[in-house]
Amino acid sequence: MKKILVLLALAAAVLLAGCGHFVPIMPGTDPVSADGEETLPDPSAQEEDTFQEQPLMNFIGWTDFAETYYDKTPVALSIRTGERGFASPVFDRASIIAACDALRSMTVTGREGDAAPAEEQTVFTFTMADGDEYAVGFSGGALDMYAGSYTVSGGESLWDIPFPCYDEEFDVFDLYFDGNIRSFADNYAADTPISVGRRSNGGATLTSKDPAVVEQAFSLLANARVSRVESSPDQNIDLTQTTDYVFTLSDGTYFTFSFAGPCLAVTASADYGPVYYWLEGIDELASMTILPQSTIPVFEGGPLTALREDIDAAQKAAFGEADGITVLGVFVDYTIDGQKGYLTLSGDTAAMFVQRVCAINASAGTVEPSGEAITVSVTLSDGSGPILYFTGDAIQQMVGLNYLCDSAAMADLRSVILTLSQDENNVGALTGESTG
């Protein structure tokens, strides 16, 4: 539930202003109007020189907030101007306390009138851990209230607080308000990551240890600039399409930068939730090739063309290179050394298995199959996916032609299957006979 803080007394004063001219009466008596009827005094009828100065926090009804913000510090402070039209938050306690202190030092000195503000309004909003919000607005340095505008003095430091999108000193790493991420960026040259990985929609992480690829990914993030904050992410971006970039240091420490659709998604406060930033200069990051060339499957040519198309689609999904399409699951029905059973794989395990299968070499020559059978059925997130039939060291195309596979790679595949079968999370059921 959000609090909209309105000074009720001033609002009441505006409503009563239309009730006629009021005659002052002696203290301790009931107020009366000029026609002798009882009524209430009209604060708006006071001359400007009778306005009583008072602390801004008292004037806007934030007395409890002023007394507790050191102990119950807001989790976020955001700024929004009419010109920008979006709220940009900061999460560091120093900035939030500085803003609270600045407001507490302000004094409301007089009333400007009821005319509409001549300048764009700037609104500062404090968000509490429970989701409540306290907002106060200014136009041209004057306090904006529903009952009019009021001149203020003091609190100049409020305008010195930097905010992303409104201040150029913020880079991508500052958005996290995390000292570890800031140190990662500042120490990049001395402690360069050994790898960078990309993961799409929670699938497998494709990792490159190529220093040039690591440098390119980091530089694109470091040089990007925030252009705006997405005010309606559920309407304007596809939150189901996610991409993570993972930098790993030599000691195993890793830092993850996540995108939802085209926006960098940053959760600096669990209470506040994610903030979605539009970045400039980041387009090349999504089109980077992180897939190591040595892992490209080598099914080649001629009669294998149709089979290769299906395998290409699966391997791109497994390595995060398929425009958001991921490996949803893999079903493996096998007979190996007389042991018969099946596996149901998902997540990183499924993607890893597809990577291993897709890396198997096959010749263009056809052979007569012999040996035990393995069926691999791949399901991609778009509903497609190949079904691969292995018999011994041969792979079968859907039309029934069998091509000779690399025997060492097939032995490795059988070993992987048997290893996975030892994990009960991968075994739908072990049967006494093949289900194929």
Side-chain angles (χ1 to χ4, degrees):
M1 177 180 180
K2 311 256 183 209
K3 290 184 180 176
I4 301 176
L5 302 170
V6 180
L7 188 60
L8 298 178
L10 288 175
V14 172
L15 294 174
L16 293 169
C19 296
H21 176 68
F22 298 95
V23 178
I25 59 175
M26 294 296 292
T29 64
D30 293 329
V32 294
S33 66
D35 57 9
E37 296 181 356
E38 290 190 3
T39 185
L40 296 173
D42 179 11
S44 64
Q46 300 179 69
E47 297 295 333
E48 286 299 322
D49 58 6
T50 66
F51 186 92
Q52 294 184 355
E53 295 185 359
Q54 55 183 301
L56 180 141
M57 288 284 206
N58 294 350
F59 187 77
I60 62 177
W62 288 16
T63 52
D64 289 342
F65 179 87
E67 294 171 356
T68 60
Y69 69 78
Y70 277 103
D71 296 324
K72 298 180 181 179
T73 305
V75 297
L77 164 66
S78 63
I79 188 175
R80 177 181 58 79
T81 69
E83 176 185 353
R84 298 294 180 96
F86 57 81
S88 180
V90 294
F91 298 92
D92 61 304
R93 189 173 187 273
S95 293
I96 295 171
I97 292 295
C100 294
D101 288 345
L103 289 174
R104 193 175 66 169
S105 70
M106 286 184 179
T107 300
V108 180
T109 58
R111 179 181 174 88
E112 283 197 337
D114 299 327
E119 299 186 27
E120 294 280 4
Q121 188 182 57
T122 298
V123 178
F124 295 89
T125 302
F126 298 89
T127 302
M128 310 304 291
D130 62 3
D132 284 350
E133 292 182 345
Y134 293 81
V136 59
F138 298 88
S139 294
L143 172 68
D144 284 341
M145 298 291 291
Y146 290 104
S149 296
Y150 297 83
T151 57
V152 297
S153 63
E156 290 81 4
S157 60
L158 178 65
W159 307 99
D160 297 331
I161 297 172
F163 292 85
C165 308
Y166 292 86
D167 195 297
E168 294 183 356
E169 72 179 66
F170 276 87
D171 65 16
V172 164
F173 308 108
D174 290 322
L175 301 176
Y176 292 83
F177 293 88
D178 185 323
N180 292 327
I181 291 180
R182 184 69 261 170
S183 295
F184 158 73
D186 294 341
N187 298 328
Y188 176 83
D191 191 8
T192 304
I194 61 173
S195 68
V196 61
R198 178 162 58 204
R199 178 174 56 241
S200 298
N201 298 327
T205 301
L206 169 64
T207 300
S208 174
K209 293 185 178 181
D210 185 341
V213 175
V214 175
E215 171 67 27
Q216 182 185 12
F218 177 82
S219 296
L220 287 169
L221 280 173
N223 294 323
R225 286 295 175 265
V226 182
S227 60
R228 61 188 174 92
V229 179
E230 177 54 58
S231 56
S232 301
D234 55 334
Q235 300 177 22
N236 296 328
I237 61 178
D238 187 351
L239 300 179
T240 66
Q241 297 299 313
T242 62
T243 305
D244 302 322
Y245 294 87
V246 184
F247 294 87
T248 303
L249 303 183
S250 58
D251 65 358
T253 303
Y254 61 90
F255 298 90
T256 303
F257 302 89
S258 300
F259 287 78
C263 295
L264 181 68
V266 179
T267 301
S269 165
D271 293 319
Y272 190 90
V275 181
Y276 300 92
Y277 296 95
W278 290 87
L279 304 181
E280 295 177 348
I282 205 68
D283 293 346
E284 190 178 344
L285 184 64
S287 61
M288 279 184 56
T289 300
I290 294 181
L291 175 65
Q293 293 300 308
S294 61
T295 64
I296 296 178
V298 288
F299 291 91
E300 293 179 352
L304 287 176
T305 301
L307 180 61
R308 177 64 186 274
E309 290 178 356
D310 282 345
I311 292 173
D312 278 347
Q315 72 90 19
K316 288 178 181 178
F319 284 109
E321 300 289 336
D323 295 328
I325 300 174
T326 60
V327 177
L328 194 62
V330 177
F331 178 83
V332 183
D333 186 347
Y334 65 89
T335 302
I336 300 175
D337 296 335
Q339 179 179 341
K340 302 176 182 181
Y342 67 85
L343 305 176
T344 54
L345 310 178
S346 60
D348 281 353
T349 303
M352 176 278 294
F353 187 82
V354 172
Q355 292 171 13
R356 301 292 283 269
V357 171
C358 288
I360 296 174
N361 190 8
S363 69
T366 60
V367 297
E368 288 298 323
S370 64
E372 296 176 322
I374 299 173
T375 301
V376 177
S377 177
V378 180
T379 302
L380 305 182
S381 58
D382 66 350
S384 67
I387 301 176
L388 307 176
Y389 300 96
F390 296 93
T391 304
D393 289 344
I395 183 172
Q396 183 184 67
Q397 193 180 15
M398 297 298 287
V399 295
L401 299 176
N402 290 273
Y403 304 96
L404 183 64
C405 296
D406 179 80
S407 60
M410 286 302 303
D412 178 68
L413 179 64
R414 286 189 280 269
S415 176
V416 169
I417 291 173
L418 292 178
T419 299
L420 291 174
S421 71
Q422 303 306 308
D423 185 343
E424 62 181 12
N425 293 321
N426 302 322
V427 181
L430 288 178
T431 66
E433 58 183 4
S434 173
T435 59

